[in-house]
Amino acid sequence: MSMDTIQDLFEHGLEDIYHAEHQLLDALDDLEQNTEREEIAQAFSEHREETEGQINRLEEVFEMFGEPPEKEECEGIEGLIQEYEEFTAEEPSQEVMDYHNMAAAEKTEHYEIAAYGNLIPLADQLGLDEGADLLEENLREEQDALEELTELTEQFEMDAIPAE
């Protein structure tokens, strides 16, 4: 596939985030299972449900775009997942794990926010107004998830983790 047009760029980005959202379904399940604090685990569970809706909206955008939903491996998300797996292999204490889970989730939210933020103007340029609206809805959910994670991180009792 050549990358010479806005359409090419949009299709590539759409396939990339479609793959990322699928990967994050499993990752959010892992985050929930590896988190002891109920309010944090609940946030991961709720965002997993939102992610399922985001995937459905992406499939609608593919349909509007006239293409079947396809995945382009998202190296960014794959890297974040690999980083997470390497960290968990170190068998951190549960307190450290809970904090790290929030930090890892925040990183992915920033990535998704950037991806949607880049796709929306491309959809607008292609005249996919309804598609842009669906992508905007996904973007708002990602921003809300990041805000919730940030609040949980700020409320985290750092005294539970030894400083040294």
Side-chain angles (χ1 to χ4, degrees):
M1 172 185 200
S2 67
M3 286 291 156
D4 299 325
T5 67
I6 290 173
Q7 183 171 326
D8 296 337
L9 191 57
F10 180 74
E11 185 175 352
H12 174 76
L14 193 59
E15 291 172 353
D16 186 78
I17 194 65
Y18 187 64
H19 178 263
E21 294 292 11
H22 276 90
Q23 292 299 102
L24 291 173
L25 277 177
D26 292 336
L28 284 163
D29 192 45
D30 290 344
L31 288 169
E32 180 184 359
Q33 298 305 313
N34 291 332
T35 300
E36 193 171 89
R37 295 175 189 229
E38 184 60 34
E39 68 277 9
I40 301 169
Q42 182 65 33
F44 294 141
S45 175
E46 290 170 6
H47 193 54
R48 188 178 195 288
E49 289 177 25
E50 283 181 341
T51 301
E52 290 170 348
Q54 292 167 357
I55 288 171
N56 291 334
R57 284 190 288 278
L58 288 171
E59 290 170 351
E60 287 182 56
V61 175
F62 273 109
E63 188 175 311
M64 291 173 192
F65 188 57
E67 294 291 331
E70 291 187 27
K71 298 175 190 172
E72 170 77 29
E73 186 171 359
C74 178
E75 299 289 339
I77 291 298
E78 293 295 335
L80 290 170
I81 290 171
Q82 180 180 349
E83 181 181 292
Y84 178 79
E85 290 170 352
E86 289 172 1
F87 183 84
T88 60
E90 297 291 323
E91 299 181 10
S93 69
Q94 188 60 55
E95 294 83 12
V96 169
M97 190 75 220
D98 285 354
Y99 188 85
H100 183 266
N101 286 347
M102 291 184 301
E106 284 185 69
K107 287 179 187 180
T108 63
E109 293 307 324
H110 282 285
Y111 185 91
E112 292 172 285
I113 289 166
Y116 286 116
N118 289 315
L119 281 172
I120 293 166
L122 297 174
D124 285 335
Q125 188 68 31
L126 293 168
L128 298 170
D129 298 338
E130 289 179 43
D133 290 344
L134 292 170
L135 295 170
E136 182 72 39
E137 190 173 344
N138 283 6
L139 174 61
R140 280 191 301 275
E141 286 181 355
E142 301 298 1
Q143 291 168 329
D144 290 346
L146 177 59
E147 187 176 313
E148 182 179 1
L149 284 166
T150 301
E151 287 174 14
L152 288 170
T153 302
E154 290 170 354
Q155 295 168 5
F156 191 87
E157 297 169 21
M158 294 299 262
D159 293 342
I161 302 172
E164 295 180 30

